[in-house]
Amino acid sequence: MKKTILIIFSLFLFQMALSQSFGFEIKDDTEVVEIPFEIHNNFMVVKVIINRQLPLSFIFDTGAEHTILSKNILAAPLKLSLDRPIRILGADMNRELVAYVSNKVYIKVGDAIAPQQDILILSDDYFKIDEYVGMEIHGIIGADLFRNLVLNIDYRKNIITVQKSRKFKVPKRKWKEVPIAIEKNKPYLLAKAHISNKVTDVKLLMDTGASLSMLLHTNTNKNLQLPENFVRGSIGRGLGGILEGFIGRLNRLEFGEFYFNNIITNYQDIKEDMDFDILSTRNGIFGNALMQRFNIIIDYPRQKLYLRPHRRYNKDFKYDKSGLELIVVGKKLKTIQVYNIIADSPAKEAGFQKGDRILSVNYIPSSILGLKGVTNKLTRKSGKKIRIKIRRNGLIKIIKFKLKDLI
């Protein structure tokens, strides 16, 4: 499990629907269409061509209802019109933001083409997600492009395939059907959560745009309570800002024939005045860190989900044992910087400060490790000695500490 700061929520609540969302077009003589992707810090990144211009990098997001261009500076070069403004609600479910609808946009993702798609263009880059993914991200591919199709995600080969539902044949060997609901183009896993010797039915948004394992909204059910051991911290960045919450472990999650134990889980309250129906009465999120432990088929028209587990799919969950929350900064997104330090953690006790630049970890330069490599070093076993060289206010400093279980 990566550090919690690498989470992004694909929570976009639109006050009006897009009028034209035709989605990917697949010819009758075509069986499947392929879309290659890469995994960056638990995000699925695909190459997207808009209006036949240069390829851009988008997050492939089953949890977002619409396709979004987050950098409006690209609207003119891509020959995109700003046809009408709409208001959207940010991921904190409080702040109102502005986006523009752009009509009849040509979109190509891998071999899949949507010739006349309506998309949203944010009036400002409310995301600022680049520093969490570790590369420049220009937007999100939402479910409006594949909602009428069968979606197959092969996390081993890093290939997404889409096909028409009538040509889809139910898989057999090693594939298992799991209960699901499709609402507003979004898939919801129907599962059972074990908390304090109680079993509770939960409805979880299957969200490839969330790099976390799980999130539970604690006030959507009286049984969804914080565990005994938890830490307060930033549980991610969504549309409109940083999201605060708690990080702990869930005893057990069961769905179909599958299960996970002691899952690293984020906990967050829904505001009391929030209309729960807007969230499709969901209890939380089933994120990409869990989804990529399977190969996944979602038959949207028939509302069916099929899972094929990878070997040791339910292996133990790793978590940061330093208390450092890191991002990447700079023009080339190569500099690793401390964004936040969790209270009562080894990093806090050792004297780290927000803004410290990480130069090396245990004598290995951060330029070689990268963000993923640095975070992996901080998930080693408790008691592991860590030596980090930092730059603070132009001065070089060495900080030493030992890793410790925080949850």
Side-chain angles (χ1 to χ4, degrees), residues 310-323:
H310 296 163
R311 184 172 175 269
R312 296 184 66 234
Y313 77 92
N314 56 1
K315 62 185 178 182
D316 291 344
F317 292 84
K318 292 183 178 181
Y319 181 70
D320 166 66
K321 296 182 179 69
S322 71

Side-chain angles (χ1 to χ4, degrees), residues 101-335:
V101 178
S102 187
N103 299 123
K104 298 181 179 180
V105 179
Y106 173 94
I107 298 178
K108 186 175 187 292
V109 189
D111 294 327
I113 295 175
Q116 295 192 65
Q117 187 71 18
D118 286 3
I119 69 170
L120 292 176
I121 302 174
L122 299 183
S123 62
D124 193 6
D125 187 4
Y126 301 113
F127 263 143
K128 304 186 187 304
I129 188 60
D130 305 9
E131 57 194 20
Y132 303 100
V133 182
M135 62 181 294
E136 188 171 12
I137 297 295
H138 306 97
I140 286 174
I141 291 296
D144 54 351
L145 283 169
F146 46 83
R147 63 182 178 181
N148 295 318
L149 302 169
V150 176
L151 179 70
N152 187 331
I153 305 176
D154 188 328
Y155 283 99
R156 291 297 194 195
K157 297 180 180 178
N158 284 12
I159 291 289
I160 301 163
T161 59
V162 291
Q163 67 181 115
K164 290 184 176 180
S165 185
R166 61 182 175 82
K167 290 197 172 187
F168 171 67
K169 295 181 180 179
V170 176
K172 295 181 179 179
R173 186 180 176 186
K174 296 184 179 180
W175 289 88
K176 301 295 182 181
E177 184 176 346
V178 175
I180 191 179
I182 303 288
E183 298 176 17
K184 298 180 180 178
N185 305 335
K186 300 177 185 180
Y188 293 88
L189 181 70
L190 305 179
K192 295 183 181 296
H194 293 242
I195 303 172
S196 301
N197 298 320
K198 295 181 180 179
V199 181
T200 303
D201 291 330
V202 290
K203 180 180 175 183
L204 305 174
L205 174 65
M206 296 186 67
D207 191 352
T208 60
S211 71
L212 48 71
S213 291
M214 269 192 64
L215 177 140
L216 288 175
H217 299 305
T218 49
N219 56 346
T220 58
N221 186 295
K222 64 180 181 180
N223 293 331
L224 301 183
Q225 304 294 328
L226 286 173
E228 290 185 9
N229 297 319
F230 63 85
V231 295
R232 180 189 293 271
S234 303
I235 61 174
R237 182 175 192 113
L239 184 62
I242 298 296
L243 302 177
E244 300 296 330
F246 305 90
I247 305 102
R249 290 181 184 269
L250 176 68
N251 294 343
R252 185 178 175 93
L253 185 77
E254 297 176 351
F255 46 99
E257 299 181 12
F258 305 108
Y259 67 91
F260 293 108
N261 292 325
N262 297 318
I263 310 167
I264 301 298
T265 301
N266 298 270
Y267 296 84
Q268 182 192 38
D269 281 350
I270 298 293
K271 294 183 181 298
E272 291 184 359
D273 58 351
M274 181 69 187
D275 184 355
F276 191 36
D277 288 337
I278 293 179
L279 296 178
S280 297
T281 62
R282 80 180 187 209
N283 302 108
I285 289 174
F286 187 86
N288 206 44
L290 290 183
M291 292 179 68
Q292 64 184 311
R293 294 183 176 209
F294 301 86
N295 282 355
I296 294 173
I297 296 176
I298 304 174
D299 185 340
Y300 281 85
R302 296 190 181 97
Q303 299 196 35
K304 298 287 187 179
L305 169 67
Y306 304 94
L307 300 179
R308 181 174 179 175
H310 296 163
R311 184 172 175 269
R312 296 184 66 234
Y313 77 92
N314 56 1
K315 62 185 178 182
D316 291 344
F317 292 84
K318 292 183 178 181
Y319 181 70
D320 166 66
K321 296 182 179 69
S322 71
L324 289 173
E325 296 180 350
L326 305 174
I327 58 175
V328 290
V329 297
K331 290 184 178 180
K332 295 184 179 181
L333 298 173
K334 298 294 185 183
T335 301

Side-chain angles (χ1 to χ4, degrees), residues 2-3 6 41 326 370-379:
K2 301 297 184 291
K3 303 176 73 60
L6 297 178
N41 292 323
L326 305 174
L371 183 59
K372 181 178 180 180
V374 171
T375 56
N376 282 343
K377 291 283 186 184
L378 302 179
T379 63

